[in-house]
Amino acid sequence: EYMGIKKNLMAEEGRVVSSMIGLASFTCAGIANILTKYILTTSLITAWHLAYWRGLGICIFSLLYCAFFNVPILSIKNDYSMVLFFRSLFGGLGLALNTLSLKLNSLSKAQAIYFTFPLFTAINGYFYLKEKLTKYEISAIVSAFLGVLILLFNPYSERKADLKTHEHPLAIYVALAGAYIASLGDICTRKIGTHIPSSVTPAYQGISLATISSFILLFVDNDPERVITYSIESEVAIFIMMFVAWVFIVLLTMAYQRDKVARISILAYILVVYGALTDVFYFKMKLHILDIIGCLFIVGGNFVILFLKCTGMLNTQQY
């Protein structure tokens, strides 16, 4: 009986750690997205150029980390090579569409739409990985998703898209497509588990993102008369964005290796709140009372469960 209690406590501590890692991961993602929006609104750098630099930075930082700590980056087991390929493909394409969505929408709106992916991840985890959803997980997902809907469809909100791209017919669909594709990448990450180091998978995802962006710049969005210049401010912002984007993917991979995709992915909703606050304090937009209620729905479902787990009031069998 003692060993059983000790085992449950260790499992609970592991879940708390995975939740904290996931929260730190999505905080880094929020910083990366804020910097991305800043660069897109203060320079002539296109979304696809920025996606290229993001992918290249993720790849470079991953390779440097693996070289410094002697992590083998090419020794991939044959059983997981195809899963890694699809994880890199879905992850890279999802990040590319997320970057484009940030160009087509306001920061908070883009993140509100894109970060519906936890709902897709939880559902896909249930069908593809046979991971059971408890009533607490379902409650947190529904609560956060309602908050997203309130933020997204609030008719009184002053948070509007950029003037040049306002009411773009593809804006919502780009973000939703990115959300679903990103959720498939999360499923592949969970499928890989600990069979591939968490510092290795981001390198392949970075290569995928840089390749996809390069292809679009060469064959789809190729404007020979377009001249893009980089100021010192934009170069510094790009470098910081690349670094925190790499940290985000590494920490997220670690979190998915430790816990179910449903538990970790719901923490992503905190990014919607980050976006709303940035719109208020940086872009000088006003939050309506419904925006505040939406943010409370998003934060509440996640942090109530996290608090219960940290205090031991929610036991392992229930959650």
Side-chain angles (χ1 to χ4, degrees):
E1 182 179 357
Y2 170 77
M3 293 301 296
I5 296 175
K6 183 177 180 181
K7 184 177 180 180
N8 287 337
L9 288 175
M10 292 178 63
E12 194 64 40
E13 290 176 358
R15 290 175 177 177
V16 172
V17 171
S18 64
S19 295
M20 298 305 294
I21 293 175
L23 187 59
S25 168
F26 290 121
T27 299
C28 290
I31 297 173
N33 286 337
I34 291 171
L35 289 171
T36 299
K37 185 63 178 179
Y38 167 78
I39 297 167
L40 291 173
T41 54
T42 58
S43 68
L44 298 177
I45 302 174
T46 68
W48 297 118
H49 282 90
L50 205 53
Y52 168 80
W53 287 117
R54 187 172 187 168
L56 186 64
I58 292 171
C59 179
I60 291 174
F61 282 119
S62 297
L63 293 176
L64 290 175
Y65 179 91
C66 291
F68 185 80
F69 290 100
N70 295 320
V71 179
I73 196 170
L74 298 177
S75 57
I76 307 299
K77 296 180 180 179
N78 292 332
D79 296 341
Y80 296 95
S81 57
M82 190 57 65
V83 181
L84 178 62
F85 170 79
F86 283 108
R87 186 253 187 250
S88 304
L89 177 64
F90 293 143
L93 186 56
L95 284 177
L97 293 175
N98 178 37
T99 305
L100 180 60
S101 175
L102 289 169
K103 179 64 177 178
L104 300 178
N105 297 285
S106 66
L107 179 62
S108 51
K109 183 177 181 181
Q111 295 195 147
I113 304 172
Y114 178 77
F115 286 102
T116 54
F117 83 82
L119 177 65
F120 297 132
T121 300
I123 295 174
N124 288 334
Y126 176 80
F127 286 105
Y128 295 125
L129 301 179
K130 307 303 179 183
E131 293 184 345
K132 295 181 180 180
L133 295 175
T134 68
K135 58 183 179 181
Y136 296 100
E137 292 165 344
I138 295 174
S139 299
I141 292 171
V142 171
S143 172
F145 191 67
L146 286 176
V148 169
L149 294 179
I150 293 173
L151 281 175
L152 187 57
F153 297 108
N154 178 12
Y156 306 104
S157 176
E158 294 187 11
R159 296 174 293 106
K160 297 180 179 179
D162 297 331
L163 182 61
K164 294 182 180 180
T165 55
H166 185 44
E167 296 181 351
H168 194 288
L170 296 178
I172 293 179
Y173 301 105
V174 167
L176 285 175
Y180 184 76
I181 292 172
S183 72
L184 294 177
D186 291 342
I187 296 300
C188 293
T189 302
R190 180 61 176 166
K191 187 71 174 179
I192 291 173
T194 57
H195 297 284
I196 299 176
S198 58
S199 56
V200 172
T201 51
Y204 291 93
Q205 182 172 343
I207 294 173
S208 173
L209 176 57
T211 303
I212 293 171
S213 303
S214 299
F215 178 84
I216 293 175
L217 285 171
L218 287 174
F219 301 105
V220 180
D221 190 26
N222 186 7
D223 184 0
E225 298 182 356
R226 180 171 55 202
V227 178
I228 296 178
T229 58
Y230 295 84
S231 64
I232 296 178
E233 291 81 3
S234 62
E235 289 177 352
V236 173
I238 289 173
F239 177 82
I240 298 174
M241 181 270 295
M242 292 190 302
F243 178 74
V244 294
W246 168 69
V247 176
F248 154 61
I249 296 178
V250 172
L251 292 179
L252 184 61
T253 303
M254 292 174 60
Y256 280 140
Q257 289 175 343
R258 293 168 174 262
D259 210 342
K260 297 197 311 186
V261 292
R263 289 200 190 105
I264 300 303
S265 62
I266 58 175
L267 294 171
Y269 284 121
I270 194 65
L271 289 171
V272 182
V273 180
Y274 292 158
L277 293 176
T278 303
D279 278 342
V280 171
F281 292 106
Y282 181 77
F283 295 105
K284 306 303 180 183
M285 300 179 184
K286 294 182 179 179
L287 277 182
H288 188 267
I289 184 63
L290 287 179
D291 294 323
I292 298 175
I293 293 175
C295 291
L296 291 176
F297 267 98
I298 294 168
V299 176
N302 290 302
F303 282 92
V304 167
I305 287 182
L306 185 59
F307 172 78
L308 293 176
K309 289 165 66 179
C310 291
T311 57
M313 297 173 65
L314 188 64
N315 64 44
T316 304
Q317 284 72 24
Q318 288 177 313
Y319 191 72

